Each structure stands twice: as C-alpha cells, then as structure tokens.
C-alpha cells in the first residue's frame, strides 16, 4: 500500500466498522436495495445478462432467486468481453485465478473494489487483534528465481511459496514478522525448519481448507492458534475467523452470499450448501449467483466475539493431501500446485481443469483437461517440475483427459495421495 492511498481507505474502513454492527434486519434491507441496483446494472450493461430482457425487481434478498445460477466453469467459458460492463478503468488489477475448482480464469479488480478490499482487510485485522503497521510476511506464487523472500518497504516480506522450506524458514527468522500469512501445509513446513522459535502475534491461513491436523501442527510450531480465511480470486476474501477462532465473519458489504442445496433451495443453518456469490461492489465484472464450487454451512449461533450478522460455521473448500517424495519425505501439496500453476500462467489458456493424484506405490498422475490441442511441451515442463520436487525415483505421468469428476462433496479433488494416507496412523 502506498502512503497516498491510505487516506482514501480510512473513511471506508470506518463505514465498514459501523456496518459490521448493523442488525441482521438492517443488513437485509440494505442487501435488497443494493441487489436491485446490481441486477439492473448487470442486465443493462453486461452482454452475458442483457439478452435476458427486463431485470427482475428485487424487493427482498430472496427475490434474487429469479436470476439463473451460473457455475464457475460455464461463466469462464464465456469470453471476458461478454462479461464486462465497460472498458476496465485505469488502475484495474488483472490476474489469473487457479480457481478452487481447478479451472483457470482471468480476474479483474477495478479501483473501487480494491479500495473496498483494502478497507475490509483493515477491519479483519482489527477483529483479529492485529494492530496496524505490524511487520508481515506473506506468501505469494512466483518470485525471482533463486530468491526465497524479498523485503518490500519497511514492514513487508514477500515469501515465494515455491522456494525450499529451509530458505523460507531462514528468511522468516531474519525478518521476525508479527504476522505470518500463507498456505497451511507450506507454513507447517516452515515451522518444521525453524531453528529459533518465532514469536509471531498471528498466523493466518488462506488458499485451502485448514484441516485439524495441520491446525494442530501450526499451533505447536508457532505457539499461536492459526486464523483461517476463505476466499476466491474473483472476489478476494469472502469469510474469515476473528481473534476468537470461532465462526467465519463475512464481508457482507462486498458480496451477497447464498447457500443452497442441489435443487437451489436455501439450506437451513448447520447444513452444508453450495456457495453462491453475487458481487455488490465489482460493477466492472459483475458475478450474479455465481457458484464458486465450494460448500459452506451457516452458523446456528453467534460467533463467540458477539458479532450479530450471519457467519459460516464451517466450509468444505479445496482439500489438498501431503504427498510422499523419494525416501518417504513429506512434501506440501501446494508445491505441486505452484509448479503446475506457473507454467499455466505462462501459457494462459492451456488448461481447463487439472488433478494431481498419488497412488499408494508413490507414482503420481497429473490429469489435465486441455483447453485446446494437447501440448507436449507444456506436459514435459510440468513433469520436469514435479520430478524436481518429488525426486527422480518417483514416476510422474502427465496425461490429457476428457473430464474430471467431482467428489461427493461437490469439490474437484486437486491434490490427493493414497501414499500419504497409507502412512497416517490408523484411528
Ligand atoms: Zn467473531
């Protein structure tokens, strides 16, 4: 964040602090009015929605049910031009998402959304008891070759998620961050390689579901209870735990979230449903009733912090298993995902969907649904990267497939390992 952008965040942050204390009824009324505007805007300006004719009037948030649900995969098949309401304004952030469903897509965050995201992160930090201007070390995908970490400004360390865990641990020890942010398995690897204990104020996770075993490992390794976040690249952070490490608060001002069953009926609190998200701020690339591909359940009670607005009790998101490398070494699954992601980004559009599976004997198969013709150069680069991580003894195959089916949870399995499960202690 530059010094110049700070003042524009403050009024918005204060407004978000106030709206977080609204009553559920006030939020409902606000959502109804905002959704009505969003639907009119999308039907009037976005080619994907405009052929549908007159927009349905939204008097109650439930009236949104008149709008068709769109899957992430089907939306991504629509050319980006047909999904834009206007030319991207200057200052729009462009990136590519790997997607929790294992499908790739371009992402556009206009300046107004970036301001809201910035302000909502301040609010999240405050709810987590993280003071401003703390030293932060945050993982990201990609970096300069041979450079595990880079100091940005005075208080930020950028960790290259693909760098070796020893190098990441040394960088973290030198920087002594107050806040450590990253992918759960990779953070667990860092914890395992620390030579001096790290006194972090907070450890926060994103990118995949934080399973109980990894949570326990992070707690033991860093001496604090990790705080989980859930998000999607199209929207940024969607739900997050406060300092009470209990329910997941939502950014209700940025997105309207529905949880529905297979017949698209709302699920009662405590029951897992498909996550549907409607953008309330991104007027450039509006998503309406967009099925992210994850499942979540509304809480049956308030968060321990007393927050009154609807929260998630649990999330069934992307799940990744540890992999087993040559000699039985444990390898964070995110490493393979990075290795696949980096070549994909270099060759945008090569991959529709992918899955990594390790058989009980150790062989690894990377199944790829190609977007166009099968590219042997791409396949070889992925195989090479995987072989580097896993060791030369592990057989790696990269194969084209027509289709990758969902698990019964509705998720696409991204990284699964029978070999790692065989090593787990039996209950
Ligand atoms: Zn809370």
């Amino acid at each position: 964040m530059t010094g110049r952008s700070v003042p524009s965040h403050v009024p918005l942050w204060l407004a978000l602090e106030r709206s977080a204390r609204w009553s559920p009824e006030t939020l409902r009324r606000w959502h109804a009015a905002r959704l009505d505007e969003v639907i009119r805007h999308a039907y009037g300006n976005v080619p994907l929605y405009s052929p549908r004719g007159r927009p349905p009037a939204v008097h109650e948030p439930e009236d949104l049910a008149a709008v068709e649900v769109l899957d992430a995969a089907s939306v991504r098949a629509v050319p980006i031009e047909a999904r834009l309401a206007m030319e991207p304004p200057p200052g729009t952030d462009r990136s590519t998402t790997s997607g929790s469903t294992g499908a790739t897509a371009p992402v556009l965050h206009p300046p107004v959304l970036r301001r809201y995201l910035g302000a909502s992160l301040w609010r999240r930090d405050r709810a987590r008891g993280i003071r401003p201007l703390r030293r932060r070390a945050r993982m990201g995908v990609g970096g300069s070759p041979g450079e595990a970490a880079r100091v940005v400004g005075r208080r930020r360390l950028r960790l290259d998620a693909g760098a070796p865990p020893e190098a990441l641990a040394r960088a973290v020890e030198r920087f002594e961050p107050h806040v450590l942010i990253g992918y759960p398995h990779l953070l667990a690897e860092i914890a395992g390689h620390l030579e001096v204990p790290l006194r972090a104020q907070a450890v926060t996770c994103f990118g995949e579901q934080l399973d109980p075993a990894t949570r326990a490992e992070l707690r033991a390794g860093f001496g604090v209870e990790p705080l989980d976040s859930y998000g999607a690249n199209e929207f940024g952070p969607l739900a997050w735990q406060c300092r009470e490490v209990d329910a997941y608060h939502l950014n209700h001002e940025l997105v309207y979230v529905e949880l529905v069953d297979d017949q698209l009926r709302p699920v009662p609190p405590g029951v897992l449903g498909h996550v549907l998200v409607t953008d309330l701020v991104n007027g450039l690339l509006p998503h309406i009733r967009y099925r992210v591909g994850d499942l979540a359940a509304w809480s049956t009670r308030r968060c321990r912090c007393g927050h009154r607005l609807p929260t998630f009790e649990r999330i069934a998101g992307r799940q990744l298993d540890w992999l087993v490398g040559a000699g039985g070494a444990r390898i964070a699954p995110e490493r393979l995902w990075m290795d696949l992601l980096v070549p994909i980004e270099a060759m945008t559009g090569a991959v529709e969907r992918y899955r990594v599976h390790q058989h009980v004997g150790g062989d690894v198969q990377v199944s790829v649904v190609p977007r166009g013709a099968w590219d042997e150069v791409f396949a070889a680069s992925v195989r090479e990267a995987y072989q580097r991580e896993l060791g030369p003894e592990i057989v790696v195959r990269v194969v084209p497939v027509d289709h990758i089916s969902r698990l019964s949870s509705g998720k696409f399995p991204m990284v699964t390992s029978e070999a790692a499960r065989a090593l787990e202690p039996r209950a």
Side-chain angles (χ1 to χ4, degrees), residues 127 240-249 302-308 311:
W240 41 272
Q241 289 182 309
C242 70
R243 71 177 94 191
E244 295 293 334
V245 203
D246 188 17
Y248 291 76
H249 296 219
R302 280 188 194 178
C303 179
R304 274 197 292 269
C305 70
H307 182 67
R308 291 196 290 172
T311 54

Side-chain angles (χ1 to χ4, degrees), residues 126-172:
R126 186 161 178 271
R128 287 175 161 181
I130 298 172
R131 279 178 288 155
L133 310 179
R134 300 276 88 183
R135 278 198 309 281
R136 282 154 210 264
R138 190 180 201 284
M139 271 177 199
V141 179
S144 315
E147 194 183 48
R150 171 177 289 193
V151 179
V152 184
R154 284 170 54 205
R155 301 186 191 89
R156 280 171 198 270
L157 181 71
R158 191 184 186 288
L159 299 168
D160 175 3
E166 301 82 359
L168 292 174
R170 294 297 82 75
V172 166

